[in-house]
Every structure is written in structure tokens, then in C-alpha cells.
Amino acid sequence: MIGLVDCNSFYVSCERVFQPRLDGQAVGVLSNNDGCLIARSNEIKALGIAMGTPAFKLQHLVRQGRIHLLSSNYELYGDMSQRVQSVLEEYAPNVEPYSIDEMFLRFDGFEPTQLLDHARQLHHKVRQYTGIPVSVGIAPTRTLAKLANRAAKKIPAYGGVCVLQAESTETRALLKRLELGKFWGVGRRLAERLAMLGIHTGWDLAQADPKRIRRQFSVTVERTALELRGIPCIEMNDFHEPRQRIMTSRSFGKLTDSLDEIREAIRQHGQRSAEKLRRQGSLARAVLVFLKTNPFRDDLPQYSPSLAVELPRPTDDSRNILDAAGTALQRIYRKGYRYQKGGVMLLDLIDADRQQLSLLDTPQSDADRQRSQKLMGVMDELNQRMGRGTVKLGTPSPGAAWHLRCDNLTQRYSTRWEELPAARAT
């Protein structure tokens, strides 16, 4: 059996853990640069405020005290996600993160009669140990687990936990009840095409001829149909598989044409990318830097360059990566343009333990590599313990244009050692 644990209103819930005054209040979390709404509490949904609503359209409600808007705090959300995963790993043999607020679990070896009680215990413990409310859905396949999770979240009678069997009357009723476009892997356009064949619900798709579905659509849709029957066909990619490229980019807080400010931004993105590179145990052979102007500003000239610079040898040293990024930026930057976004991408990654050494390497080269590893290791450890950005190469100017707008940013609150307030345990 496969479970799916979904954190309810995750970003808002993270903020509420450390700000109990927000419980029961209409709370929304904004995108980068405080642009638009990307997360909503149930209370703000009840006001009819849609996802993606621009922040400036909600300021009158903020002034009236009817809603609370917060800047996105991804360091806090990432830390809380890790806490939730740590709890889940105590209750399931395998945990496969699907997103920051969703995780698949394998319950191989559990008796069906034990699963419901086990899931309810897991549901309770996550809330008790982290303060984050979750919904738990369990079924024979990932697609049905998604359905079970939706039922657990949307139907109060389940109490946040739903366990489905493939052939049960309960599963059949849910499949018939839900529109096809609500199922995992079925987008709006695909649902419209299936509707032309008389397939309108999950039950209709489960009963369709898989071979016909494959001929007329794709093997992916065929797998979805089989999964709805209770036949496992979809396997998640190995979460621990190293990424083939690493990118860090952000929109600037406001348009800027200052090379110095853009250089600071690129240095910050380069350092962050290098940290990710070392975390997964890889080396990069090339560094790509890109800039973008605002394509929606027809009144401004447009220019969106990019350039990749090959590194002398594969490396994970932030200093070498920043040198290459600086070279690329110097070559692509042009005066007379107001840039909206910039980023750094590390390319052609290899496993650090399997790098091919050069015939020209000397004992001094090996000593330099060892010193580099020690230096980078100390930097990463200090940043992990004391907070990201504690140790960095270069000193960014406070208030520079490239900094994100975060007028309502809360504290990170949590650290590796702190425990959640006991008053929040339920």
C-alpha cells in the first residue's frame, strides 16, 4: 500500500506554528517580491479571494484588518518540511518527497486491518511534533492515494485520514463522484479530449480499454487508467538521484541597470548554487549566467543574454565558480537596459568521487584540492549552524535594488537545535 501525506495550507500553517495569533485568521502568503497570493488559509478562501490575486488589490482588506498578508519565508518552510519528513520516517519504511508539502510513503508489510489505526497515529503525531496539520490518504497505487488524500482533506467524516481498497464500494463511489479533471495527471485539455469519448469521471477512465486509451492518447494516460483500477504503474524518480544541472535565480526587487548591483546578485546566486552542488556531492564543469529584462514593458528596450563559461577543471569551490560567473556577466552585460532578473546555472555535473584527474596534476594540485575542500566544508558548516549567509564571499550592499521585496517577512524562527513550543502540541 502507498500513502500520501499532504500538509494542509502548508505555508500558512508554518507561520501559525510560531504565531498562534494567526490561528482562525484570514492569512495569505505572497510570492517573491510580494507580488501575488500563492498560499491561502481556509478563512481567506471563504472570503472568495482567488489564488494568484495581486497583492495591491488586497491592500484595502489589510488596512481594514480583515486579512493578514505575509512575505514568503522559504527557509522556514524548507526547515518545517524536513521536520515533517523526519516524523514520517519513524512511521513508514520508505518516504519519497514529492514536493515541499507532499510526501509519498510505502507501507509494505502492513496488514490492512492495521493500516487505518497506524495512519491515524501518524496523522496525530505529525501535528503533535511539528504543529503542522496534514491529510493522509492510503491506497494500492499513487493515483488512488492522491484520491484518498483528497477525500481525507475535503470530506470531514474522514477526519483527515482515508484508506481505500481498489475494489471497494467506497473507492467506486469516490471515482464516480469526482470529475476527471480533478485526478492526478489529468489536465484540463486532456479531460476535454477524454470527454469527447464519453469519459467524464475517474470511474469511466478506470473502466475504459487501456489499449484503446494508449492508442488514442499516450502510455501515460494508460498508466493512469490502470492505476485507477488498483494496478501500480507509476514509480517516482529516485529523490536522492543527483540533479544534472543546478540553477539559482530570482527576480530583482526592482528594475536595475547597475552593473555593481547585478554583480552582487550574481555572486549571491553563484554561492547558493555552489552550496547545492556540494550538498549533492557533485562537481561542475561549466557555469552559465543569464540576465532578463521585463518582456511586458514594451516601453523599454529588451535584452535577455546568457553565456556559459567552461571551468579549467571540474570544481565545487565557490571561488572558482564566482570567478567564472563574474567573467560571464562582464561579457554579457550591456548598458542602456533595465534588468528584471538574473541567475546562475551550473552545467555538466559529475560525481565528485569519480572525477578524472589530469595528467598535469602535481602534488601541489592535490594539496590545493584538499585545502579547498576544507575551506568550503567550514563555510557550509557555519552557514548550516548559524543561518544561511553567515559566511559569504563579498559583502552585499543592504537595500540594493536586486534584493527581493519582503515587506512582511517573518523570522525564520526554527534552527537545528530548537524545539517547537510545548503549548502548540495537541
Side-chain angles (χ1 to χ4, degrees):
M1 296 287 278
I2 297 171
L4 176 65
V5 175
D6 184 10
C7 301
N8 301 337
S9 303
F10 181 57
Y11 291 176
V12 173
S13 295
C14 290
E15 301 286 357
R16 283 175 167 172
V17 169
F18 298 95
Q19 298 189 79
R21 65 180 180 83
L22 296 177
D23 286 347
Q25 301 293 314
V27 182
V29 176
L30 300 173
S31 62
N32 287 341
N33 286 315
D34 292 346
C36 60
L37 207 59
I38 59 170
R40 303 171 296 162
S41 67
N42 290 331
E43 294 80 6
I44 207 170
K45 293 176 184 178
L47 295 176
I49 299 175
M51 187 75 81
T53 302
F56 74 86
K57 291 186 176 181
L58 303 173
Q59 291 307 310
H60 66 289
L61 297 176
V62 175
R63 289 191 293 269
Q64 295 170 10
R66 297 179 60 189
I67 66 173
H68 303 268
L69 297 182
L70 303 174
S71 301
S72 50
N73 188 343
Y74 293 112
E75 288 189 354
L76 172 64
Y77 309 150
D79 180 75
M80 295 302 290
S81 177
Q82 289 296 318
R83 292 184 178 216
V84 171
Q85 182 175 341
S86 295
V87 176
L88 297 180
E89 287 172 346
E90 296 180 8
Y91 287 85
N94 292 299
V95 178
E96 301 172 356
Y98 179 61
S99 66
I100 194 171
D101 62 344
E102 290 182 276
M103 300 178 194
F104 282 106
L105 288 71
R106 297 300 298 261
F107 290 106
D108 301 333
F110 282 84
E111 293 293 333
T113 55
Q114 299 175 329
L115 263 181
L116 182 58
D117 289 339
H118 188 74
R120 285 173 176 166
Q121 185 179 15
L122 182 151
H123 175 268
H124 172 73
K125 291 299 183 182
V126 172
R127 182 64 183 270
Q128 179 181 6
Y129 294 152
T130 69
I132 302 296
V134 298
S135 299
V136 182
I138 300 177
T141 69
R142 285 177 169 78
T143 305
L144 285 178
K146 276 275 191 177
L147 173 64
N149 186 275
R150 181 183 180 88
K153 181 178 293 188
K154 301 291 185 181
I155 302 176
Y158 283 110
V161 178
C162 176
V163 179
L164 297 179
Q165 300 296 332
E167 302 295 334
S168 69
T169 303
E170 181 182 14
T171 302
R172 178 182 300 184
L174 289 171
L175 288 172
K176 290 183 177 180
R177 176 177 176 176
L178 198 61
E179 295 179 1
L180 193 56
K182 303 292 185 181
F183 284 88
W184 187 40
V186 182
R188 179 179 58 83
R189 292 186 178 180
L190 177 57
E192 291 173 353
R193 293 175 59 198
L194 288 167
M196 297 176 65
L197 300 179
I199 301 174
H200 301 281
T201 67
W203 177 254
D204 294 335
L205 182 57
Q207 298 305 302
D209 180 4
K211 293 182 179 180
R212 180 191 178 195
I213 293 296
R214 181 169 185 169
R215 285 196 305 269
Q216 296 190 246
F217 297 94
S218 68
V219 66
T220 302
V221 184
E222 178 194 24
R223 288 172 180 169
T224 299
L226 292 172
E227 288 246 327
L228 291 175
R229 292 186 181 186
I231 304 172
C233 298
I234 300 175
E235 290 294 332
M236 301 298 295
N237 293 328
D238 186 356
F239 180 71
H240 301 289
E241 182 179 350
R243 286 174 286 180
Q244 299 304 305
R245 58 181 60 187
I246 291 175
M247 184 177 75
T248 304
S249 69
R250 288 279 179 84
S251 296
F252 302 143
K254 59 183 179 181
L255 298 180
T256 181
D257 58 359
S258 168
L259 176 59
D260 290 338
E261 291 182 340
I262 296 172
R263 184 183 291 114
E264 288 183 8
I266 294 301
R267 289 182 68 85
Q268 296 302 307
H269 297 334
Q271 290 182 72
R272 181 66 182 137
S273 294
E275 290 173 1
K276 297 177 183 177
L277 184 71
R278 292 191 290 272
R279 186 178 301 129
Q280 77 169 31
S282 297
L283 305 175
R285 288 194 178 103
V287 178
L288 181 143
V289 173
F290 68 88
L291 298 173
K292 289 185 179 181
T293 52
N294 189 340
F296 300 103
R297 289 292 299 272
D298 296 333
D299 58 319
L300 297 176
Q302 299 296 312
Y303 177 54
S304 298
S306 65
L307 179 67
V309 174
E310 185 177 359
L311 292 161
R313 60 174 57 86
T315 184
D316 61 3
D317 192 311
S318 296
R319 297 169 297 177
N320 298 332
I321 290 170
L322 293 186
D323 284 345
T327 299
L329 174 62
Q330 196 69 41
R331 291 169 62 182
I332 64 175
Y333 172 80
R334 296 288 183 274
K335 294 182 179 180
Y337 297 94
R338 301 186 67 189
Y339 297 96
Q340 179 194 37
K341 186 176 184 179
V344 173
M345 183 182 296
L346 305 184
L347 305 172
D348 200 6
L349 308 188
I350 62 172
D351 190 333
D353 295 329
R354 300 179 181 177
Q355 63 172 312
Q356 181 68 46
L357 300 180
S358 171
L359 292 175
L360 301 179
D361 279 353
T362 65
Q364 182 62 39
S365 301
D366 186 59
D368 290 342
R369 277 194 295 268
Q370 292 182 17
R371 282 195 293 269
S372 170
Q373 291 174 358
K374 290 180 180 179
L375 176 59
M376 295 300 109
V378 170
M379 287 180 57
D380 292 342
E381 183 176 359
L382 288 172
N383 285 329
Q384 184 179 11
R385 288 186 177 183
M386 309 303 293
R388 185 186 302 170
T390 300
V391 180
K392 50 187 175 288
L393 302 176
T395 304
S397 303
W402 66 269
H403 287 290
L404 290 173
R405 290 194 302 271
C406 298
D407 296 334
N408 303 294
L409 181 65
T410 56
Q411 299 179 38
R412 181 177 177 183
Y413 298 112
S414 57
T415 69
R416 205 169 59 169
W417 300 279
E418 290 178 347
E419 296 296 333
L420 297 178
R424 299 295 293 167
T426 57

